[in-house]
PDB file of all heavy atoms in Angstrom:
ATOM      1  N   MET A   1       5.788  -1.055   6.703  1.00 98.00           N
ATOM      2  CA  MET A   1       5.812  -1.741   5.418  1.00 98.00           C
ATOM      3  C   MET A   1       4.509  -1.481   4.665  1.00 98.00           C
ATOM      4  O   MET A   1       3.440  -1.376   5.273  1.00 98.00           O
ATOM      5  CB  MET A   1       5.982  -3.245   5.617  1.00 98.00           C
ATOM      6  CG  MET A   1       7.234  -3.643   6.381  1.00 98.00           C
ATOM      7  SD  MET A   1       8.759  -3.155   5.546  1.00 98.00           S
ATOM      8  CE  MET A   1       8.644  -4.090   4.028  1.00 98.00           C
ATOM      9  N   ALA A   2       4.615  -1.400   3.354  1.00 98.00           N
ATOM     10  CA  ALA A   2       3.431  -1.122   2.557  1.00 98.00           C
ATOM     11  C   ALA A   2       3.519  -1.841   1.214  1.00 98.00           C
ATOM     12  O   ALA A   2       4.590  -2.273   0.794  1.00 98.00           O
ATOM     13  CB  ALA A   2       3.285   0.382   2.331  1.00 98.00           C
ATOM     14  N   TRP A   3       2.362  -1.957   0.598  1.00 98.00           N
ATOM     15  CA  TRP A   3       2.267  -2.429  -0.785  1.00 98.00           C
ATOM     16  C   TRP A   3       1.671  -1.326  -1.635  1.00 98.00           C
ATOM     17  O   TRP A   3       0.696  -0.656  -1.220  1.00 98.00           O
ATOM     18  CB  TRP A   3       1.384  -3.678  -0.877  1.00 98.00           C
ATOM     19  CG  TRP A   3       2.014  -4.914  -0.323  1.00 98.00           C
ATOM     20  CD1 TRP A   3       1.878  -5.421   0.933  1.00 98.00           C
ATOM     21  CD2 TRP A   3       2.877  -5.814  -1.022  1.00 98.00           C
ATOM     22  NE1 TRP A   3       2.606  -6.573   1.060  1.00 98.00           N
ATOM     23  CE2 TRP A   3       3.226  -6.848  -0.127  1.00 98.00           C
ATOM     24  CE3 TRP A   3       3.385  -5.863  -2.326  1.00 98.00           C
ATOM     25  CZ2 TRP A   3       4.070  -7.910  -0.480  1.00 98.00           C
ATOM     26  CZ3 TRP A   3       4.209  -6.925  -2.677  1.00 98.00           C
ATOM     27  CH2 TRP A   3       4.542  -7.924  -1.768  1.00 98.00           C
ATOM     28  N   TYR A   4       2.253  -1.145  -2.795  1.00 98.00           N
ATOM     29  CA  TYR A   4       1.738  -0.244  -3.820  1.00 98.00           C
ATOM     30  C   TYR A   4       1.533  -1.059  -5.087  1.00 98.00           C
ATOM     31  O   TYR A   4       2.048  -2.177  -5.210  1.00 98.00           O
ATOM     32  CB  TYR A   4       2.737   0.886  -4.106  1.00 98.00           C
ATOM     33  CG  TYR A   4       2.749   1.992  -3.080  1.00 98.00           C
ATOM     34  CD1 TYR A   4       3.320   1.794  -1.826  1.00 98.00           C
ATOM     35  CD2 TYR A   4       2.216   3.250  -3.368  1.00 98.00           C
ATOM     36  CE1 TYR A   4       3.344   2.816  -0.887  1.00 98.00           C
ATOM     37  CE2 TYR A   4       2.241   4.276  -2.440  1.00 98.00           C
ATOM     38  CZ  TYR A   4       2.804   4.046  -1.205  1.00 98.00           C
ATOM     39  OH  TYR A   4       2.820   5.058  -0.277  1.00 98.00           O
ATOM     40  N   ARG A   5       0.811  -0.499  -6.026  1.00 98.00           N
ATOM     41  CA  ARG A   5       0.653  -1.156  -7.317  1.00 98.00           C
ATOM     42  C   ARG A   5       0.594  -0.122  -8.432  1.00 98.00           C
ATOM     43  O   ARG A   5       0.223   1.027  -8.213  1.00 98.00           O
ATOM     44  CB  ARG A   5      -0.599  -2.037  -7.340  1.00 98.00           C
ATOM     45  CG  ARG A   5      -1.920  -1.280  -7.243  1.00 98.00           C
ATOM     46  CD  ARG A   5      -3.082  -2.272  -7.139  1.00 98.00           C
ATOM     47  NE  ARG A   5      -4.379  -1.595  -7.072  1.00 98.00           N
ATOM     48  CZ  ARG A   5      -5.529  -2.220  -6.875  1.00 98.00           C
ATOM     49  NH1 ARG A   5      -5.557  -3.538  -6.691  1.00 98.00           N
ATOM     50  NH2 ARG A   5      -6.660  -1.528  -6.832  1.00 98.00           N
ATOM     51  N   GLN A   6       0.954  -0.578  -9.605  1.00 98.00           N
ATOM     52  CA  GLN A   6       0.920   0.296 -10.775  1.00 98.00           C
ATOM     53  C   GLN A   6       0.382  -0.467 -11.969  1.00 98.00           C
ATOM     54  O   GLN A   6       0.973  -1.480 -12.383  1.00 98.00           O
ATOM     55  CB  GLN A   6       2.307   0.852 -11.085  1.00 98.00           C
ATOM     56  CG  GLN A   6       2.307   1.915 -12.167  1.00 98.00           C
ATOM     57  CD  GLN A   6       3.615   2.678 -12.232  1.00 98.00           C
ATOM     58  OE1 GLN A   6       4.639   2.223 -11.733  1.00 98.00           O
ATOM     59  NE2 GLN A   6       3.575   3.854 -12.838  1.00 98.00           N
ATOM     60  N   SER A   7      -0.721   0.020 -12.487  1.00 97.00           N
ATOM     61  CA  SER A   7      -1.321  -0.566 -13.683  1.00 97.00           C
ATOM     62  C   SER A   7      -0.792   0.154 -14.914  1.00 97.00           C
ATOM     63  O   SER A   7      -0.301   1.279 -14.825  1.00 97.00           O
ATOM     64  CB  SER A   7      -2.849  -0.443 -13.628  1.00 97.00           C
ATOM     65  OG  SER A   7      -3.358  -1.024 -12.454  1.00 97.00           O
ATOM     66  N   ALA A   8      -0.926  -0.494 -16.038  1.00 94.00           N
ATOM     67  CA  ALA A   8      -0.437   0.081 -17.285  1.00 94.00           C
ATOM     68  C   ALA A   8      -1.081   1.442 -17.541  1.00 94.00           C
ATOM     69  O   ALA A   8      -2.304   1.580 -17.491  1.00 94.00           O
ATOM     70  CB  ALA A   8      -0.740  -0.866 -18.443  1.00 94.00           C
ATOM     71  N   GLY A   9      -0.264   2.442 -17.784  1.00 94.00           N
ATOM     72  CA  GLY A   9      -0.764   3.766 -18.104  1.00 94.00           C
ATOM     73  C   GLY A   9      -1.245   4.581 -16.920  1.00 94.00           C
ATOM     74  O   GLY A   9      -1.768   5.688 -17.095  1.00 94.00           O
ATOM     75  N   LYS A  10      -1.078   4.045 -15.714  1.00 96.00           N
ATOM     76  CA  LYS A  10      -1.535   4.756 -14.524  1.00 96.00           C
ATOM     77  C   LYS A  10      -0.375   5.011 -13.570  1.00 96.00           C
ATOM     78  O   LYS A  10       0.667   4.365 -13.657  1.00 96.00           O
ATOM     79  CB  LYS A  10      -2.630   3.958 -13.810  1.00 96.00           C
ATOM     80  CG  LYS A  10      -3.899   3.777 -14.627  1.00 96.00           C
ATOM     81  CD  LYS A  10      -4.954   3.050 -13.816  1.00 96.00           C
ATOM     82  CE  LYS A  10      -6.256   2.889 -14.605  1.00 96.00           C
ATOM     83  NZ  LYS A  10      -7.302   2.188 -13.806  1.00 96.00           N
ATOM     84  N   GLU A  11      -0.585   5.937 -12.655  1.00 97.00           N
ATOM     85  CA  GLU A  11       0.422   6.214 -11.647  1.00 97.00           C
ATOM     86  C   GLU A  11       0.392   5.135 -10.566  1.00 97.00           C
ATOM     87  O   GLU A  11      -0.623   4.462 -10.360  1.00 97.00           O
ATOM     88  CB  GLU A  11       0.171   7.585 -11.021  1.00 97.00           C
ATOM     89  CG  GLU A  11       0.371   8.743 -11.988  1.00 97.00           C
ATOM     90  CD  GLU A  11       0.367  10.077 -11.293  1.00 97.00           C
ATOM     91  OE1 GLU A  11       0.118  10.118 -10.080  1.00 97.00           O
ATOM     92  OE2 GLU A  11       0.599  11.098 -11.976  1.00 97.00           O
ATOM     93  N   ARG A  12       1.519   4.997  -9.894  1.00 98.00           N
ATOM     94  CA  ARG A  12       1.599   4.044  -8.795  1.00 98.00           C
ATOM     95  C   ARG A  12       0.630   4.475  -7.695  1.00 98.00           C
ATOM     96  O   ARG A  12       0.568   5.657  -7.344  1.00 98.00           O
ATOM     97  CB  ARG A  12       3.025   3.974  -8.273  1.00 98.00           C
ATOM     98  CG  ARG A  12       3.304   2.839  -7.327  1.00 98.00           C
ATOM     99  CD  ARG A  12       4.783   2.727  -7.009  1.00 98.00           C
ATOM    100  NE  ARG A  12       5.574   2.419  -8.210  1.00 98.00           N
ATOM    101  CZ  ARG A  12       6.857   2.114  -8.183  1.00 98.00           C
ATOM    102  NH1 ARG A  12       7.508   2.076  -7.025  1.00 98.00           N
ATOM    103  NH2 ARG A  12       7.509   1.865  -9.294  1.00 98.00           N
ATOM    104  N   GLU A  13      -0.110   3.513  -7.137  1.00 98.00           N
ATOM    105  CA  GLU A  13      -1.076   3.836  -6.101  1.00 98.00           C
ATOM    106  C   GLU A  13      -0.850   2.972  -4.863  1.00 98.00           C
ATOM    107  O   GLU A  13      -0.441   1.811  -4.955  1.00 98.00           O
ATOM    108  CB  GLU A  13      -2.515   3.646  -6.607  1.00 98.00           C
ATOM    109  CG  GLU A  13      -2.889   2.225  -6.946  1.00 98.00           C
ATOM    110  CD  GLU A  13      -4.374   2.071  -7.280  1.00 98.00           C
ATOM    111  OE1 GLU A  13      -5.128   3.042  -7.142  1.00 98.00           O
ATOM    112  OE2 GLU A  13      -4.758   0.946  -7.657  1.00 98.00           O
ATOM    113  N   TRP A  14      -1.153   3.544  -3.722  1.00 98.00           N
ATOM    114  CA  TRP A  14      -1.012   2.858  -2.460  1.00 98.00           C
ATOM    115  C   TRP A  14      -2.105   1.809  -2.306  1.00 98.00           C
ATOM    116  O   TRP A  14      -3.264   2.048  -2.677  1.00 98.00           O
ATOM    117  CB  TRP A  14      -1.084   3.884  -1.325  1.00 98.00           C
ATOM    118  CG  TRP A  14      -1.225   3.293   0.034  1.00 98.00           C
ATOM    119  CD1 TRP A  14      -0.280   2.609   0.748  1.00 98.00           C
ATOM    120  CD2 TRP A  14      -2.385   3.326   0.856  1.00 98.00           C
ATOM    121  NE1 TRP A  14      -0.788   2.239   1.966  1.00 98.00           N
ATOM    122  CE2 TRP A  14      -2.069   2.665   2.065  1.00 98.00           C
ATOM    123  CE3 TRP A  14      -3.661   3.863   0.710  1.00 98.00           C
ATOM    124  CZ2 TRP A  14      -2.984   2.516   3.100  1.00 98.00           C
ATOM    125  CZ3 TRP A  14      -4.574   3.731   1.735  1.00 98.00           C
ATOM    126  CH2 TRP A  14      -4.235   3.056   2.919  1.00 98.00           C
ATOM    127  N   VAL A  15      -1.751   0.649  -1.745  1.00 98.00           N
ATOM    128  CA  VAL A  15      -2.700  -0.435  -1.544  1.00 98.00           C
ATOM    129  C   VAL A  15      -2.964  -0.673  -0.059  1.00 98.00           C
ATOM    130  O   VAL A  15      -4.115  -0.706   0.373  1.00 98.00           O
ATOM    131  CB  VAL A  15      -2.179  -1.742  -2.189  1.00 98.00           C
ATOM    132  CG1 VAL A  15      -3.108  -2.910  -1.875  1.00 98.00           C
ATOM    133  CG2 VAL A  15      -2.026  -1.566  -3.692  1.00 98.00           C
ATOM    134  N   ALA A  16      -1.895  -0.857   0.710  1.00 98.00           N
ATOM    135  CA  ALA A  16      -2.068  -1.183   2.123  1.00 98.00           C
ATOM    136  C   ALA A  16      -0.768  -0.909   2.871  1.00 98.00           C
ATOM    137  O   ALA A  16       0.313  -0.928   2.278  1.00 98.00           O
ATOM    138  CB  ALA A  16      -2.472  -2.642   2.299  1.00 98.00           C
ATOM    139  N   THR A  17      -0.903  -0.651   4.155  1.00 98.00           N
ATOM    140  CA  THR A  17       0.240  -0.417   5.041  1.00 98.00           C
ATOM    141  C   THR A  17       0.069  -1.211   6.321  1.00 98.00           C
ATOM    142  O   THR A  17      -1.052  -1.364   6.819  1.00 98.00           O
ATOM    143  CB  THR A  17       0.358   1.083   5.397  1.00 98.00           C
ATOM    144  OG1 THR A  17       0.574   1.832   4.212  1.00 98.00           O
ATOM    145  CG2 THR A  17       1.509   1.330   6.364  1.00 98.00           C
ATOM    146  N   ILE A  18       1.184  -1.714   6.832  1.00 98.00           N
ATOM    147  CA  ILE A  18       1.216  -2.284   8.177  1.00 98.00           C
ATOM    148  C   ILE A  18       2.376  -1.620   8.901  1.00 98.00           C
ATOM    149  O   ILE A  18       3.518  -1.659   8.433  1.00 98.00           O
ATOM    150  CB  ILE A  18       1.307  -3.825   8.166  1.00 98.00           C
ATOM    151  CG1 ILE A  18       1.232  -4.369   9.594  1.00 98.00           C
ATOM    152  CG2 ILE A  18       2.546  -4.325   7.436  1.00 98.00           C
ATOM    153  CD1 ILE A  18       0.953  -5.861   9.657  1.00 98.00           C
ATOM    154  N   SER A  19       2.079  -1.015  10.041  1.00 97.00           N
ATOM    155  CA  SER A  19       3.108  -0.278  10.760  1.00 97.00           C
ATOM    156  C   SER A  19       3.987  -1.222  11.568  1.00 97.00           C
ATOM    157  O   SER A  19       3.731  -2.434  11.645  1.00 97.00           O
ATOM    158  CB  SER A  19       2.459   0.749  11.691  1.00 97.00           C
ATOM    159  OG  SER A  19       1.874   0.090  12.807  1.00 97.00           O
ATOM    160  N   SER A  20       5.003  -0.630  12.195  1.00 96.00           N
ATOM    161  CA  SER A  20       5.910  -1.437  13.018  1.00 96.00           C
ATOM    162  C   SER A  20       5.193  -2.027  14.223  1.00 96.00           C
ATOM    163  O   SER A  20       5.669  -3.006  14.806  1.00 96.00           O
ATOM    164  CB  SER A  20       7.085  -0.572  13.478  1.00 96.00           C
ATOM    165  OG  SER A  20       6.623   0.527  14.242  1.00 96.00           O
ATOM    166  N   VAL A  21       4.041  -1.443  14.589  1.00 96.00           N
ATOM    167  CA  VAL A  21       3.261  -1.983  15.715  1.00 96.00           C
ATOM    168  C   VAL A  21       2.018  -2.717  15.200  1.00 96.00           C
ATOM    169  O   VAL A  21       1.047  -2.895  15.924  1.00 96.00           O
ATOM    170  CB  VAL A  21       2.869  -0.873  16.715  1.00 96.00           C
ATOM    171  CG1 VAL A  21       4.111  -0.323  17.389  1.00 96.00           C
ATOM    172  CG2 VAL A  21       2.074   0.240  16.036  1.00 96.00           C
ATOM    173  N   HIS A  22       2.069  -3.121  13.944  1.00 96.00           N
ATOM    174  CA  HIS A  22       1.047  -3.979  13.331  1.00 96.00           C
ATOM    175  C   HIS A  22      -0.292  -3.297  13.071  1.00 96.00           C
ATOM    176  O   HIS A  22      -1.296  -3.986  12.866  1.00 96.00           O
ATOM    177  CB  HIS A  22       0.836  -5.266  14.127  1.00 96.00           C
ATOM    178  CG  HIS A  22       2.036  -6.174  14.154  1.00 96.00           C
ATOM    179  ND1 HIS A  22       2.051  -7.417  13.554  1.00 96.00           N
ATOM    180  CD2 HIS A  22       3.251  -6.010  14.684  1.00 96.00           C
ATOM    181  CE1 HIS A  22       3.243  -7.974  13.728  1.00 96.00           C
ATOM    182  NE2 HIS A  22       3.989  -7.135  14.421  1.00 96.00           N
ATOM    183  N   LYS A  23      -0.316  -1.970  13.060  1.00 98.00           N
ATOM    184  CA  LYS A  23      -1.530  -1.268  12.673  1.00 98.00           C
ATOM    185  C   LYS A  23      -1.658  -1.323  11.157  1.00 98.00           C
ATOM    186  O   LYS A  23      -0.708  -1.058  10.441  1.00 98.00           O
ATOM    187  CB  LYS A  23      -1.493   0.180  13.141  1.00 98.00           C
ATOM    188  CG  LYS A  23      -2.749   0.975  12.788  1.00 98.00           C
ATOM    189  CD  LYS A  23      -2.622   2.411  13.249  1.00 98.00           C
ATOM    190  CE  LYS A  23      -3.895   3.212  12.988  1.00 98.00           C
ATOM    191  NZ  LYS A  23      -4.240   3.244  11.551  1.00 98.00           N
ATOM    192  N   THR A  24      -2.846  -1.659  10.680  1.00 98.00           N
ATOM    193  CA  THR A  24      -3.060  -1.821   9.235  1.00 98.00           C
ATOM    194  C   THR A  24      -4.021  -0.764   8.691  1.00 98.00           C
ATOM    195  O   THR A  24      -4.938  -0.311   9.377  1.00 98.00           O
ATOM    196  CB  THR A  24      -3.613  -3.211   8.913  1.00 98.00           C
ATOM    197  OG1 THR A  24      -4.849  -3.404   9.615  1.00 98.00           O
ATOM    198  CG2 THR A  24      -2.632  -4.303   9.313  1.00 98.00           C
ATOM    199  N   ASP A  25      -3.789  -0.397   7.444  1.00 98.00           N
ATOM    200  CA  ASP A  25      -4.665   0.511   6.707  1.00 98.00           C
ATOM    201  C   ASP A  25      -4.754   0.016   5.273  1.00 98.00           C
ATOM    202  O   ASP A  25      -3.782  -0.524   4.739  1.00 98.00           O
ATOM    203  CB  ASP A  25      -4.125   1.946   6.721  1.00 98.00           C
ATOM    204  CG  ASP A  25      -4.291   2.607   8.068  1.00 98.00           C
ATOM    205  OD1 ASP A  25      -5.444   2.811   8.479  1.00 98.00           O
ATOM    206  OD2 ASP A  25      -3.265   2.898   8.707  1.00 98.00           O
ATOM    207  N   TYR A  26      -5.920   0.252   4.649  1.00 98.00           N
ATOM    208  CA  TYR A  26      -6.149  -0.236   3.302  1.00 98.00           C
ATOM    209  C   TYR A  26      -6.776   0.852   2.441  1.00 98.00           C
ATOM    210  O   TYR A  26      -7.570   1.673   2.916  1.00 98.00           O
ATOM    211  CB  TYR A  26      -7.098  -1.435   3.328  1.00 98.00           C
ATOM    212  CG  TYR A  26      -6.563  -2.627   4.074  1.00 98.00           C
ATOM    213  CD1 TYR A  26      -6.835  -2.811   5.426  1.00 98.00           C
ATOM    214  CD2 TYR A  26      -5.772  -3.582   3.415  1.00 98.00           C
ATOM    215  CE1 TYR A  26      -6.338  -3.903   6.124  1.00 98.00           C
ATOM    216  CE2 TYR A  26      -5.282  -4.680   4.103  1.00 98.00           C
ATOM    217  CZ  TYR A  26      -5.564  -4.837   5.445  1.00 98.00           C
ATOM    218  OH  TYR A  26      -5.058  -5.925   6.118  1.00 98.00           O
TER     219      TYR A  26
END
């Protein structure tokens, strides 16, 4: 699972991920 975000006038960007085994990246 992950979160992305998109600001006005910008491309969608990755924010954070949590894997199926709970490993996180930011």
